[in-house]
Each structure stands twice: as C-alpha cells, then as structure tokens.
Amino acid sequence: MAQEHYQNRILQAIGANFSEQKEFCQAVSEVFSSLDLLLEKESKYERYSILERITVPERQILFRVTWIDDEGKIRTNMGYRVQFSSSIGPYKGGLRFHPSVNLSIIKFLGFEQIFKNSLTGLSIGGAKGGSNFDPKGKSEGEIMRFCQAFMSELFKHVGATKDVPAGDIGVGGREIGYMFGKYKQLTNQYEGVLTGKGLDWGGSLARTEATGYGSVYFAENILDKYSLGFEGKVCSVSGAGNVAIYTIEKLYQIGALPVTCSDSGGMVCDKEGIDLQALKEIKEVKKISLSEYVKYRPNATYTPVKDYPRGRNLVWNIPCFAAFPSATQNELNLEDIKVLHKNGCKLVTEGANMPSTLDAISYMLENNIFYAPAKAANAGGVATSQLEMSQNASMTSWSFDEVDKKLKGIMKHIFDLSYETSKEFKDEGNLMLGANIAGFRKVADAMIEQGAV
Ligand code: NDP
C-alpha cells in the first residue's frame, strides 16, 4: 500500500537522521503505528507532506545557561525550548529540569504535546523545554539564580500569545515564580507568559491537582463504559511528585486504595493505603527522600532502587487492579506488564509521558488490558493551564469547583473523542489508536488549510 510506504519511508528517514535520539524516534513510531487506516483513506496527508513537516519542529532553541553557585563558582548548563507546532494555537508545554534532559527527550515530549493539546479541544500548539540542571541538593538561592539565568534567554522567545511554558519534572510553583519574576523585570509586562503561577498572582485554582485528578477521571470514563468502578479496588502508582500525589488523592476520593509510590531512590508499599499527608510532607514540604516514609508508617516497606532486579521496576510487582505510572518515560516495560497481568491488573493509565515501552503497549493491546495512553490520560494538566490562560486574559478567576468541573468535562471529551475515533477506524476501545488519529487529524488539517509554512 502506497500510504503504508509513505509513513515507513518517513520513519526510516527519521531513524537514519536521528538515530541517537532514541526517545524521539520511539514517540514518532508510536504515533505512526496508529495512522495506517487514516493515511489509506486520506491521500491528502501525503500530498501535502504532512508527516515530513509535522516531525520537524518549527523552531528549536538551544542556549547556554550561566549561573553562579553558593561558592561563587560560575556554572554552565544547557537550555532548550523546542517549539514544535503552532498550527492550532500558541506553543504550549512544560519545562523539565533534570540531569537526564537532552534534545531527544525534549523533542519526544514536544512531539507528544502537539497531539495531546489537540485532543483537549482547546486552541494550543505543542512545545517543550528544559535544562540538564539538577535541582537536587541545590540551595534556595542557587535554584533562584538558575531560574533567572534560564529566563534571561528564554524571555526572547516566549509571550502570552506566542509560547506559554509550564512546569514538568523538577519545575513546580517555586521555579515558575522565579522565572515569572525575571520575565516581568526584563519585559516590563505583567502577562500570562507562564502557567502554574501562584494563586495570588495569576495562578488558577486546581492547576496543581489537574494532571493527577484528570488521569483518574479519564480512567473512570473507561470503567464506566464497561460498567465497572473503582470502589474498593487496589491501585499501584509510581512517582511521588505532582502527578503521583494528586492521582493518589483522587483515587482515595473515589473509594480506591492506592498502595504504592516511588521516587528516583526507591519505592514504598503500604498495604493499608499510602498515607497522603505523610507523602505530601515528605515530597512537597521537606522535599526529601521517600525512604523517610517508613518513619511515619512503620508497617510499610521501602525498597531502594539498588535492590531492584536488573531491568525491572518493583512497583509493578505489587498486585493491583489498576496501575498509574506517573514518574517518567519508559518506567514500565514488557516484563513489568507481564507481572502486572499475571497478578490481575486490568487497567494501565499513563500519568507520566511515554511511561510504557512500545512492546509493553503491544502486550496490553493483545491481552485486553485497558490502556489509557499518556497523550489522552494526562492532558488534564495542560488543559487546566489553558484555563489559567483564559482567566489571565479576561482578568477573572474561577472557583476550585468551577475549574474542576471544566477539567472533568474536558477529560470526558478526550475519552469520547478517542473512543469514537477508535470505532470509526474499526478497532473499538483501542484508545491509543483513537487518540493518535484524532489528535493528528485536527493538526494536519489545520496545516493543510494554512498552506506551506
Ligand atoms: P515531579 O518532578 O513533580 O515528580 C517526578 C517524580 O518522578 C519524582 O518522585 C521523581 O523522583 C520521580 N522520577 C523522576 N525521574 C525519575 C527516574 N528517572 N526514575 C525514577 N523516578 C523518577 O514531576 P511531575 O509529577 O510533574 O511529572 C511526572 C511525569 O508526568 C513526567 O513524565 C511528566 O512529563 C508528566 N506530566 C506532568 C504534568 C504536570 O502537570 N506536572 C502534565 C503531564 C505530564 P525524585 O523525587 O527522587 O526526584
């Protein structure tokens, strides 16, 4: 089939040109794997060279970030902002500060963001950025000086109607505050250039909770469809950051029992249910290792990463009804999903971006495990960021309940759109296929209508 050749040809060219960008190639493969029938039906996408264009960022900005540590030594990090697509709105996507950050990781995140933002039904384009700066072990002053140095270059490329960054791994309310302050000083503009702001200076209620709450709302939509529910069900969550904490909070609110969480040092299993207050104190207030958890809950167990068997994430050894990978990319592999399946897991909802490897996804689809892909399930965060932009633009602020209700509506819209699209393409319930096609089609059609740019 000519169309099949088209996407294979583009995929091969990307593989050859960017062989060192493993995560980016993985993200492109995942999206392309869903497009067969669409490309077969609609030859216009090949005619207008959509795959060639959509896989190349409109702009990628790489810059030096120079800052001064507490000893007075000049330190240098890399800064990135990849503005992938502005076809349906201004660029939007988070900033990640983590030592593993490189161009491949920022490109995979930016590429995913295009389709995620499209699925929300809101007018937002896709971008991502960050730095290989490691916030761990840095003083408050060092964090502030780094954020200011980062914004000293980034401010030239962002703006309320141009590109609106937000948080991601290593970037929360504190970092957004320092970057916003610097942007304001440099531009003399008080505008919604960043989302995830403090509530007294332009932030939105429920933004902090939105990604975690949204992924649970998405999972509820799946279970509703099959007349199932979460009441009394044991759930496993990985991560101990923003997404994981508010996934756990919402799981409790709907009567489920979350029993695990993890950080980069190890994992906790608490069979009686994770103590949410203890978790928040450890990770949000004190910002320390999860190993401290057993001091709050002596019956819980903590296993350090060094004791994990090679190539495994021990969080997924805990028997559960539903798994919520909410830490980072490729944290759930084929071996992990086989163990989850053997132990009775029925649903995997991706809170993190690209947490499942491609072979783990195939296994889920082949074995009738409900699979909620990241670009649909974790879109609640960016959707609520857009609600923050709306409030900033109209100089209003909505109550927590108003924002939460809109978030719930958006997650239902994303589920319905993904589900109906999977039906249209004769694979009912394959939400990866539905989300990829629906997200892609809207952006691709906008690209055609806007001409060769
Ligand atoms: P945070 O920085 O708040 O938390 C990340 C958590 O994951 C921390 O507990 C961290 O451990 C752990 N972690 C990070 N890297 C690794 C690693 N390599 N191995 C094991 N554990 C790791 O980030 P978020 O919660 O915001 O983000 C988590 C995921 O969700 C990411 O994939 C992000 O892209 C995605 N996401 C986030 C959104 C948001 O609104 N925040 C929106 C949509 C997606 P430690 O505490 O030790 O650092």
Side-chain angles (χ1 to χ4, degrees), residues 95 97 140 143-144 147 165-181 194-201 203-204 207-209 241-242 246 283-284 287 388:
L95 298 171
F97 293 169
E140 192 70 25
I143 299 274
M144 183 175 74
C147 290
D168 191 79
I169 291 177
V171 178
R174 174 181 62 172
E175 292 75 17
I176 294 289
Y178 294 147
M179 287 188 271
F180 183 78
L194 292 156
T195 55
K197 299 188 287 298
L199 293 178
D200 291 333
W201 44 276
S204 173
R207 173 60 189 95
T208 305
E209 293 82 356
N242 174 263
Y246 292 96
K283 292 314 254 185
E284 288 188 329
K287 299 183 192 290
E388 183 174 329

Side-chain angles (χ1 to χ4, degrees), residues 287-299:
K287 299 183 192 290
I288 53 175
S289 164
L290 207 50
S291 58
E292 293 295 302
Y293 184 88
V294 286
K295 291 189 182 153
Y296 293 77
R297 302 272 285 185
N299 289 336

Side-chain angles (χ1 to χ4, degrees), residues 55-355:
T55 47
V56 176
E58 289 174 11
R59 194 172 297 104
Q60 37 186 57
I61 302 143
L62 273 63
F63 53 101
R64 185 177 69 191
V65 187
T66 306
W67 55 284
I68 298 177
D69 71 15
D70 286 347
E71 272 67 59
K73 188 170 164 31
I74 298 174
R75 306 276 290 262
T76 304
N77 285 97
M78 279 305 299
Y80 303 85
R81 185 69 181 167
V82 174
Q83 297 175 330
F84 233 113
S85 168
S86 62
S87 295
I88 59 167
Y91 306 110
K92 180 99 198 83
L95 298 171
R96 176 177 291 192
F97 293 169
H98 192 271
S100 64
V101 163
N102 56 35
L103 189 56
S104 172
I105 288 186
I106 298 300
K107 277 180 70 181
F108 113 66
L109 290 164
F111 186 69
E112 282 279 295
Q113 198 81 42
I114 304 172
F115 310 106
K116 180 188 312 198
N117 293 2
S118 162
L119 282 172
T120 64
L122 306 168
S123 297
I124 34 182
K128 202 81 188 188
S131 173
N132 60 353
F133 172 74
D134 186 359
K136 284 222 176 75
K138 302 292 188 298
S139 71
E140 192 70 25
E142 288 175 327
I143 299 274
M144 183 175 74
R145 289 194 294 279
F146 175 80
C147 290
Q148 291 175 337
F150 186 82
M151 186 49 91
S152 298
E153 174 61 32
L154 189 70
F155 87 99
K156 299 170 192 163
H157 313 285
V158 295
T161 55
K162 195 193 282 182
D163 182 356
V164 184
D168 191 79
I169 291 177
V171 178
R174 174 181 62 172
E175 292 75 17
I176 294 289
Y178 294 147
M179 287 188 271
F180 183 78
K182 191 68 187 172
Y183 179 85
K184 192 163 57 70
Q185 183 193 43
L186 290 167
T187 61
N188 197 20
Q189 301 266 10
Y190 201 109
E191 57 173 18
V193 64
L194 292 156
T195 55
K197 299 188 287 298
L199 293 178
D200 291 333
W201 44 276
S204 173
L205 285 161
R207 173 60 189 95
T208 305
E209 293 82 356
T211 308
Y213 279 23
S215 74
V216 178
Y217 292 149
F218 192 86
E220 275 189 301
N221 275 293
I222 299 181
L223 294 193
D224 275 357
K225 190 87 195 169
Y226 298 95
S227 306
L228 297 166
F230 270 110
E231 189 67 42
K233 295 289 195 327
V234 171
C235 297
S236 257
V237 179
S238 66
N242 174 263
V243 180
I245 288 174
Y246 292 96
T247 296
I248 290 172
E249 184 165 289
K250 183 51 74 179
L251 284 171
Y252 275 126
Q253 288 174 12
I254 61 166
L257 185 69
V259 296
T260 63
C261 58
S262 65
D263 67 6
S264 50
M267 65 155 290
V268 159
C269 177
D270 189 340
K271 292 255 155 75
E272 289 157 27
I274 293 293
D275 180 336
L276 188 59
Q277 279 324 107
L279 177 61
K280 285 186 177 181
E281 193 171 314
I282 292 167
K283 292 314 254 185
E284 288 188 329
V285 182
K286 295 184 177 165
K287 299 183 192 290
I288 53 175
S289 164
L290 207 50
S291 58
E292 293 295 302
Y293 184 88
V294 286
K295 291 189 182 153
Y296 293 77
R297 302 272 285 185
N299 289 336
T301 56
Y302 173 78
T303 313
V305 167
K306 68 175 175 48
D307 293 347
Y308 289 11
R310 200 175 144 75
R312 290 293 323 286
N313 182 347
L314 274 198
V315 173
W316 312 128
N317 265 28
I318 308 301
C320 64
F321 167 77
F324 289 80
S326 306
T328 193
Q329 63 273 0
N330 293 327
E331 55 163 323
L332 196 163
N333 64 24
L334 183 60
E335 282 313 301
D336 297 324
I337 191 64
K338 283 182 178 169
V339 174
L340 279 166
H341 189 213
K342 184 165 71 76
N343 288 336
C345 177
K346 300 277 184 291
L347 165 70
V348 174
T349 305
E350 296 185 330
N353 283 310
M354 206 168 76

